[in-house]
Amino acid sequence: YGPKKIQSETESYAPLNPLPDKKIIPIDDFDWSSVSRLVVSSDGSSGVLFTYNNQGTAVLKASQGEAEHFANLFIAKCGIKTPYTKIITRQHKEWDYIEKFVMDKSLRFTLMDLSTRRRLDNMYKCQQLHLLELIDGKALHSLDDPHKSLSICEGLDDSTQVLYKMGAISAADVVLNNWDRFPSFWKNSGNGGNVMVTNDGEVIAIDQLVSPVVVESELNKHFNNMSSFLDVFLLCQPQPPLPPFEFQLGDDISVVADPRNRIRAFFLNTTGVDIGENGVYMFQKGFTGMASSVICKLNKTEIENIYNQTWAEICRGFTEVSGMFDPNDVNFIVRGINLFKEKLTK
């Protein structure tokens, strides 16, 4: 199943097909035979191609396989908005079109410019790709008006607030150990490219992964750290005093010790907006709301079912998939859920 050799090339010799307008379409029946253009994203969504056909536009990207597909399904199970996704492997008929775009020289030069051809060649070396529905929105770090998007609108229900919705995503991320988005639990700089906001204020989670801790000696350390974090971040717990916020734009987020100040620093560095203590509190409200209304109601059987669905969609049409998940992965997720339950029932 290894990729065939790709010829090197430096410049186009034929006119490209015209670039159509973007239009959101269902992807289950995406017509690969009518693809008219592929284009590298230029709006901050690194690693993706916009794929146009006579129906509209879908997004094609390299996949992290089971870890990414499970996380997509888990996020959706939690009621969080995330793009509908279809996984494509080398065993699926859609891969024949990917290979044709790579190997057919006339298509390469009429469908793609040089940068897109190089991106597609790199994606072709992967074992799996994802086809996603197009999201009409902007990544957090690319918002046109971040002050407006992140402001708390008085008189509206908390659940409609952008910061509340982002806090809800962060709670699901903690269960998944999806460290590459909001630096709430994790002492890193976060990634504003993995959350999008639409014009009507919907918040969309993208590019999530489940990252189980597999080293036995690190498991207890991970959950001890999670326990300490939840003691500070869940609003059902008595809130310890908030240290002064001394962070300046451009400082290193990862050295901010208190997770509440770390989230505030993340938004400042990512958008230029200081959401203040009220903004952090709204984020915590969303985090606590997701934890109490959704995460604590999940059980082991449901997690096993999500893993089975993951493999059914990866292996669609060519193999039996029952019980293909790693029990250790399931136990990791369930242990995190149970820790949330323990903190919320104290």
Side-chain angles (χ1 to χ4, degrees):
Y1 296 132
K4 298 177 181 178
K5 186 177 180 180
I6 302 166
Q7 293 182 344
S8 62
E9 54 202 25
T10 57
E11 60 184 38
S12 175
Y13 60 81
L16 289 168
N17 289 338
L19 184 61
D21 293 331
K22 290 180 184 176
K23 184 173 72 173
I24 299 172
I25 55 171
I27 63 169
D28 270 335
D29 298 315
F30 184 81
D31 183 5
W32 289 91
S33 66
S34 68
V35 168
S36 61
R37 191 74 186 271
L38 286 88
V39 179
V40 173
S41 169
S42 60
D43 62 359
S45 303
S46 64
V48 307
L49 298 179
F50 294 118
T51 307
Y52 299 83
N53 69 8
N54 57 13
Q55 304 160 296
T57 312
V59 176
L60 187 67
K61 66 181 288 292
S63 170
Q64 299 290 329
E66 174 196 354
E68 182 174 0
H69 208 64
F70 173 88
N72 290 339
L73 294 174
F74 180 87
I75 287 283
K77 176 74 174 179
C78 290
I80 295 166
K81 293 186 180 298
T82 191
Y84 179 69
T85 303
K86 188 174 185 179
I87 198 160
I88 302 170
T89 74
R90 294 177 181 273
Q91 290 88 349
H92 293 136
K93 62 181 180 180
E94 297 94 336
W95 195 272
D96 294 340
Y97 288 99
I98 306 295
E99 185 166 279
K100 188 174 182 180
F101 299 151
V102 170
M103 296 300 170
D104 188 316
K105 206 164 189 178
S106 64
L107 288 178
R108 286 175 70 79
F109 285 101
T110 55
L111 300 185
M112 297 168 270
D113 61 17
L114 179 59
S115 62
T116 304
R117 294 197 297 268
R118 288 173 173 169
R119 178 67 55 78
L120 182 63
D121 290 346
N122 287 332
M123 292 168 65
Y124 177 69
K125 297 172 185 175
C126 301
Q127 294 300 311
Q128 298 173 350
L129 301 177
H130 265 129
L131 186 72
L132 302 86
E133 65 178 350
L134 178 70
I135 299 298
D136 185 16
K138 292 284 186 119
L140 181 61
H141 56 57
S142 303
L143 293 177
D144 293 328
D145 189 349
H147 286 276
K148 180 180 178 181
S149 297
L150 298 175
S151 62
I152 297 173
C153 300
E154 299 297 333
L156 297 181
D157 188 80
D158 285 347
S159 64
T160 68
Q161 310 284 352
V162 166
L163 287 170
Y164 183 100
K165 295 173 185 176
M166 290 186 178
I169 293 172
S170 184
D173 284 343
V174 170
V175 175
L176 293 170
N177 196 27
N178 179 45
W179 48 267
D180 193 27
R181 187 160 25 226
F182 298 113
S184 50
F185 173 41
W186 308 270
K187 292 183 179 179
N188 60 33
S189 296
N191 185 349
N194 285 344
V195 60
M196 299 181 71
V197 182
T198 66
N199 290 334
D200 57 0
E202 291 296 342
V203 179
I204 314 294
I206 63 172
D207 288 356
Q208 41 270 337
L209 292 173
V210 59
S211 305
V213 176
V214 296
V215 179
E216 188 68 32
S217 60
E218 295 294 316
L219 268 174
N220 286 337
K221 179 180 177 181
H222 173 83
F223 286 109
N224 287 339
N225 289 340
M226 186 190 294
S227 177
S228 299
F229 162 73
L230 294 177
D231 285 340
V232 172
F233 216 75
L234 282 171
L235 291 177
C236 61
Q237 302 290 321
Q239 289 285 284
L242 183 63
F245 186 71
E246 299 173 342
F247 187 87
Q248 299 293 318
L249 182 65
D251 287 351
D252 183 0
I253 298 172
S254 65
V255 301
V256 180
D258 190 286
R260 297 165 294 181
N261 279 343
R262 196 160 57 246
I263 282 294
R264 183 174 172 182
F266 164 74
F267 281 100
L268 180 59
N269 262 9
T270 302
T271 69
V273 174
D274 183 0
I275 63 173
E277 292 184 17
N278 288 340
V280 174
Y281 187 70
M282 183 61 70
F283 189 95
Q284 288 181 266
K285 276 187 172 182
F287 185 97
T288 305
M290 173 59 67
S292 60
S293 64
V294 178
I295 290 174
C296 284
K297 296 179 181 178
L298 296 173
N299 57 50
K300 185 174 182 178
T301 299
E302 288 175 295
I303 302 305
E304 290 175 343
N305 288 341
I306 297 173
Y307 267 110
N308 280 329
Q309 183 182 352
T310 298
W311 280 105
E313 294 184 11
I314 291 175
C315 302
R316 57 188 162 90
F318 58 84
T319 190
E320 176 62 41
V321 299
S322 178
M324 288 181 68
F325 55 79
D326 185 337
N328 290 326
D329 291 353
V330 172
N331 292 338
F332 177 84
I333 299 292
V334 171
R335 186 170 172 182
I337 290 170
N338 288 340
L339 185 54
F340 269 90
K341 291 179 180 179
E342 175 188 325
K343 297 296 181 180
L344 287 164
T345 54
K346 273 189 174 180

